[in-house]
Amino acid sequence: MTDSQQPLAKEWTKEEMEQAVDMPPVPEDKEIFVRIRNLHKRFGPRHILRGIDLDVYKGETLVVLGVSGSGKSTFFKHLMGTHTIDEGTVEVGGRHLDHLSTDEWGAYRQDLGVIFQMAALLGSLTVLENVGLPLIEVERAPTEEIRERVIEALHRVFLPAEEILSLRPDELSGGMRKRVGIARAIIQNPRLILYDEPTTGLDPVTVSGVNELTLELQKTLGVTSLVITHDMEAAFTIADHIAFLYNGRIVAYGTVDEIRANEHPVLRQLLTGSTTGPLTEDYVK
Amino acid sequence: MLAATGRLIIQACEEAGRTLRLLVAALLYIRVIHRSHKQLVRQLDHAGFGSIVVLSLVAGLTGMILAMQMGTELERYGALDSLGAIIGATFCREMGPIWAAIIVLARVGSSMAAELGTMVVNEEVEALKIMSIDPVRYLAMPRIVALIIAMPLLTTMADVVGIAGGAFVSHSLYGLPYDKFILSAQSLLTSTDFFSGLFKSMVFAAIIGAVACDRGLHTKGGAEGVGKATTVSVMLNVLFVLVGDYMLTAIIQFLTRAEII
Ligand SMILES: Nc1ncnc2c1ncn2[C@@H]1O[C@H](COP(=O)(O)OP(=O)(O)OP(=O)(O)O)[C@@H](O)[C@H]1O
Ligand SMILES: [Mg+2]
């Protein structure tokens, strides 16, 4: 076994680095909730997603790692149904997202919470109206109930609800906006939550708070979560599994321990934050 | 070259079709307008009240300039008495609706396109879709309806202010008494003139709202895209409003001659 004697000395070719990993067989006690096979996306001539295969188990948190611009947000948009699927299949909780009717989309989205990279709050609405928007517009709940549920959701993300209810998004700090965005995503108790960089730009205490919230939602509500993050510590804290997206494919996948031990050179560079490695060599070339 | 022109034409047709579909979808959503009353009030305020001052100024000045130009000529032929009729007809048939449309498309249409474009760039529109809220119902419909309500009112105001401006100049420059000016206007103008002008203005409102919302909601590519959406919406609106005006005027004239209206 020469490989294991000198694990880091192995030279990886470009092809090897871009090689997609096969999803492992499903453990007996697990059930697949999100199943993606051979997902492709092109923007004009640019081939951004080049055959993504990924399983997410029910009730688990999967963290997606990847360098900036690798297509993580683009990948998420296929799960939201705001990008059409060029090729491949996306299946969530038994629903095939490539052919859903309008009503089925409605039902699917009731179960879906999304935290956007830039919060995506509506600038003309107050915090109360923003967080309560799905209740006002879709559920059409009574005003008193909306207020109560909004306050509860805001408390869950550690915001002083009563103080900020009537403020508009531009009167909040960036970190507060982000948390208001999280409150909006969880107010309907979704079964699947997509977090696009939920902790970027937050102070360390709030970061831990958001991480704990992710864990708590998973425990209490049994939600399945997909999280994009550049925060390795957070990734290792909340993840059940980690997937590494590189050049349009999932090139590394495993539990936290497996990922820590993974030898993919780009992943290693990302985990250590080193400036020497294949990522930076690419730029030099 | 030929292929490129062909592609451009096909693209233009596709986009026009898209705008038309948006308009139809928005108009169909009017049956649930009670759910958007807050939005509607805000848009009415923005579209209607916001335009009053500029439009009054423009319409009043146009009336005064028209009176001055026409006055010299008519005085020479001793037909000063018909000044009221000419200015009244010009305003009710053309100037009122057109000025209201131009001011609204420049002020309100462009800001609608920019606002919706910014919402697209900030992923707000995407967030609405995720919550199963149709952006056409939630964003486009109240804006278009607000324009359709506000525009005839603005047009009426432009008519009144324009005619008043004309009367003022006729009186102060050519010594034409106010009552003569009004009488002359009344002798020529029919209610058809007035109401066809209002009808035109409602069609313009639908065009302006649909084009602005469509351009805004289909913004691509960041802040630059927002700028482009805004400019294109203004350009297209000027074009469509004038073409629409020509066609509507032709139809209205045909109907009046055939004594259908
Ligand atoms: N609507 C679009 N049209 C054209 N190109 C797009 C579009 N959306 C994304 N892209 C391109 O796809 C690539 C991936 O973008 P994406 O936003 O998914 O990256 P990301 O992995 O989320 O990066 P970050 O970590 O910086 O958020 C980028 O090169 C971007 O230019
Ligand atoms: Mg991103």
Side-chain angles (χ1 to χ4, degrees), chain B residues 106-218:
Chain B
R107 257 194 88 255
V108 189
S110 63
S111 84
M112 267 182 195
E115 190 190 358
L116 296 186
T118 311
M119 291 182 74
V120 169
V121 172
N122 291 340
E123 298 182 315
E124 292 170 43
V125 173
E126 207 149 275
L128 284 177
K129 287 184 193 157
I130 308 293
M131 292 182 270
S132 290
I133 301 172
D134 186 352
V136 173
R137 173 181 77 73
Y138 189 74
L139 300 172
M141 184 268 280
R143 284 173 170 75
I144 295 176
V145 171
L147 283 187
I148 295 180
I149 297 174
M151 194 77 100
L153 300 176
L154 288 171
T155 301
T156 310
M157 193 201 70
D159 291 348
V160 172
V161 177
I163 294 173
F168 173 72
V169 168
S170 311
H171 177 74
S172 52
L173 245 50
Y174 305 106
L176 190 70
Y178 286 116
D179 56 340
K180 265 211 166 141
F181 186 93
I182 300 296
L183 265 179
S184 144
Q186 278 175 344
S187 69
L188 182 75
L189 278 178
T190 60
S191 58
T192 314
D193 286 319
F194 177 69
F195 287 113
S196 65
L198 293 195
F199 174 71
K200 270 203 230 177
S201 76
M202 287 165 84
V203 177
F204 296 161
I207 294 176
I208 294 169
V211 170
C213 289
D214 178 67
R215 288 289 143 177
L217 288 176
H218 289 91

Side-chain angles (χ1 to χ4, degrees), chain B residues 33-140:
Chain B
I33 197 161
H34 55 277
R35 286 169 58 191
S36 308
H37 63 274
K38 258 193 193 164
Q39 305 269 340
L40 187 63
V41 171
R42 180 155 47 211
Q43 293 304 325
L44 266 177
D45 180 45
H46 180 55
F49 289 105
S51 309
I52 288 180
V53 178
V54 199
L55 183 59
S56 310
L57 213 66
V58 171
L61 282 169
T62 315
M64 290 163 74
I65 295 167
L66 262 181
M68 203 162 14
Q69 290 278 10
M70 300 276 175
T72 15
E73 298 299 320
L74 291 175
E75 203 171 28
R76 198 143 20 116
Y77 298 110
L80 207 55
D81 283 359
S82 52
L83 201 51
I86 292 175
I87 289 180
T90 320
F91 261 90
C92 289
R93 289 178 193 164
E94 281 304 329
M95 282 298 181
I98 282 287
W99 268 132
I102 298 288
I103 298 294
V104 165
L105 79 86
R107 257 194 88 255
V108 189
S110 63
S111 84
M112 267 182 195
E115 190 190 358
L116 296 186
T118 311
M119 291 182 74
V120 169
V121 172
N122 291 340
E123 298 182 315
E124 292 170 43
V125 173
E126 207 149 275
L128 284 177
K129 287 184 193 157
I130 308 293
M131 292 182 270
S132 290
I133 301 172
D134 186 352
V136 173
R137 173 181 77 73
Y138 189 74
L139 300 172

Side-chain angles (χ1 to χ4, degrees), chain A residues 43 46 48 66-75 83 117 196-197 230:
Chain A
F43 291 116
R46 299 173 63 207
I48 304 293
V67 290
S68 199
S70 57
K72 304 181 297 298
S73 300
T74 306
F75 165 57
H83 276 346
Q117 197 166 349
D196 196 344
E197 301 192 20
H230 291 298

